[in-house]
Amino acid sequence: MNVIRGGTMKIIKDEFFDTEEKIYKLINKSEPSSNYTFTVENFKELAGWVYITGKINKSEYSINYSSAIFDHYWIIKFFAEIINLKDEIVIFLDYEGSYPMLYAKKADNNTVRFIFAHDYILFENDENDDDCLPLYKIECDIQIDKKELLEKFYNIINPHIMNYDEKNNYDFDIKKAKKYLKQIKIFLDKKSS
């Protein structure tokens, strides 16, 4: 097992957890798979709740957050940061008391390790605090071409943002969201070198 000890971890919107050590305890429990089927199938927003669903092999996953308190642009920024990722990046989404985590680490110029882990069950059992981070369930841990990863998420998030109904009236910085989507689109449109 490759134990990750630390490097240059960038934590986006890091208000939830105070140390990298707990993140490393979690990610070191898993090994990335390079033999998998990974899909991102749906982006649904209902009454301030977002569900990004798909499958890893035959298991379904759902990346959830509250768009009423967690601006869409944060998750889009996370994916845009992967374009020029130097080392590793983490974001904790806010699902009103539950804090799903996305993590990416550069493997080489074209490939990243991507992890989705969550505390949904811990939250249901009132066990959620930052000491529980190492107990998160790792739903997805894959070694993936970053262009493929970004394309899958871009294709599902972009239509929602471009057709966003402002009647939702949530605190949403659509300009930042579109800025990061544009960065991803430019990257996706570049020919492979």
Side-chain angles (χ1 to χ4, degrees):
M1 176 178 277
N2 292 332
V3 176
I4 299 172
R5 292 233 187 310
T8 310
M9 180 183 291
K10 181 174 185 177
I11 303 175
I12 296 179
K13 199 158 173 55
D14 62 347
E15 63 200 55
F16 304 118
F17 299 100
D18 58 359
T19 67
E20 294 178 7
E21 180 183 336
K22 293 171 187 167
I23 296 169
Y24 290 123
K25 280 184 184 178
L26 172 66
I27 61 179
N28 284 329
K29 294 188 326 183
S30 181
E31 283 286 323
S33 173
S34 54
N35 185 18
Y36 57 84
T37 304
F38 177 70
T39 65
V40 183
E41 298 173 359
N42 195 14
F43 183 104
K44 187 189 296 185
E45 183 173 15
L46 297 168
W49 301 102
V50 172
Y51 308 94
I52 301 171
T53 57
K55 291 182 182 168
I56 178 73
N57 296 324
K58 294 184 181 182
S59 298
E60 294 182 0
Y61 67 84
S62 184
I63 299 170
N64 306 333
Y65 65 92
S66 170
S67 60
I69 58 174
F70 187 85
D71 197 316
H72 292 299
Y73 90 82
W74 286 109
I75 192 168
I76 300 166
K77 178 180 178 171
F78 170 83
F79 287 109
E81 292 268 345
I82 290 173
I83 295 167
N84 296 309
L85 189 62
K86 301 283 186 240
D87 196 4
E88 56 193 327
I89 188 169
V90 174
I91 189 169
F92 291 95
L93 311 175
D94 193 337
Y95 191 50
E96 287 197 13
S98 179
Y99 303 101
M101 182 190 88
L102 301 178
Y103 167 92
K105 180 173 177 60
K106 180 179 178 177
D108 60 39
N109 286 336
N110 301 316
T111 309
V112 295
R113 178 182 184 187
F114 175 71
I115 294 176
F116 162 55
H118 62 79
D119 60 341
Y120 304 147
I121 294 172
L122 297 172
F123 176 67
E124 288 172 8
N125 296 328
D126 290 330
E127 294 179 27
N128 189 298
D129 59 39
D130 64 350
D131 290 328
C132 290
L133 181 58
L135 303 176
Y136 272 37
K137 179 179 182 186
I138 297 177
E139 200 76 50
C140 171
D141 185 354
I142 57 176
Q143 198 88 5
I144 187 169
D145 178 86
K146 69 180 173 181
K147 203 166 221 181
E148 178 186 350
L149 176 69
L150 295 176
E151 184 173 41
K152 287 177 187 287
F153 280 96
Y154 176 87
N155 287 341
I156 210 76
I157 294 173
N158 186 59
H160 178 77
I161 300 304
M162 293 306 161
N163 298 313
Y164 190 74
D165 182 359
E166 293 185 33
K167 291 183 216 167
N168 286 340
N169 210 14
Y170 303 125
D171 217 5
F172 174 35
D173 192 334
I174 197 158
K175 287 182 183 177
K176 283 185 181 177
K178 287 182 177 181
K179 176 183 99 172
Y180 293 122
L181 283 170
K182 184 177 180 181
Q183 289 174 7
I184 294 170
K185 179 67 171 152
I186 289 168
F187 173 74
L188 294 176
D189 288 345
K190 285 183 183 176
K191 291 185 178 180
S192 296
S193 48

